[in-house]
């Protein structure tokens, strides 16, 4: 495998005070995150507001050259629940990903940072 190929997978669970609630806002957030972590978009971002009771909220995905970012924000409760997944075969800063959540005023963020290159190694907890 080439030296410049990584397999980093970040899984985030956040509770936020000011969730994104529109497709437009989520698409903008995804574009900004891709730019912040120095990636390139190859598809999307795509976002849709889900109206199903118990799953209400905005969901989105963006395809990047090195894989994807996906997110769902449940906005029925306060704080709102956010689940996000960032996977890339290129290196990225997990700190920059965490900072992107500041826009939603996080009350709590937990994350796993998986190194999937040869085995599954993890680390993480964000000090909010």
């Amino acid at each position: 495998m080439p030296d410049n190929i990584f397999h980093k997978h970040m899984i985030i669970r956040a509770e936020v005070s000011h969730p994104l609630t529109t497709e437009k806002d989520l698409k903008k957030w995804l574009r900004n995150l891709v730019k912040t972590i120095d990636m390139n978009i190859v598809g999307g971002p795509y976002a849709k507001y889900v109206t199903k009771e118990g799953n209400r909220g905005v969901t989105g995905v963006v395809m990047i050259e090195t894989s994807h970012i996906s997110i769902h924000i449940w906005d029925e409760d306060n704080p709102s629940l956010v689940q996000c997944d960032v996977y890339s075969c290129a290196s990225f800063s997990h700190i920059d990903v965490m900072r992107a959540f500041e826009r939603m005023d996080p009350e709590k963020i937990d994350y796993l940072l998986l190194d999937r290159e040869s085995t599954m190694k993890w680390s993480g907890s964000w000090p909010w």
Side-chain angles (χ1 to χ4, degrees), residues 8-11 30 33-34 37 39-43 60-71 84-90 92 116:
K8 304 300 181 201
H9 190 168
M10 186 172 184
I11 301 167
L30 285 166
L33 177 56
V34 171
I37 63 173
M39 301 288 170
N40 296 307
I41 295 173
V42 296
V61 65
V62 61
M63 293 177 277
I64 55 178
E65 283 178 328
T66 55
S67 200
H68 72 277
I69 300 169
S70 62
I71 188 170
C84 184
D85 186 83
V86 179
Y87 182 83
S88 179
C89 295
F92 63 90
R116 296 170 48 173

Side-chain angles (χ1 to χ4, degrees), residues 3 12 15 18 22 26-27 31-32 37 45 48 52 58 63 72-73 75 78 81 87 90 92-93 98 111-112 124:
D3 289 339
I12 302 116
E15 295 174 10
H18 294 96
T22 69
L26 183 55
K27 286 179 184 180
R31 279 192 296 273
N32 288 339
I37 63 173
K48 189 69 178 168
K52 180 180 167 85
V58 67
M63 293 177 277
H72 187 82
I73 303 170
D75 61 16
N78 188 13
L81 176 62
Y87 182 83
F92 63 90
S93 167
M98 301 309 296
Y111 72 91
L112 292 175

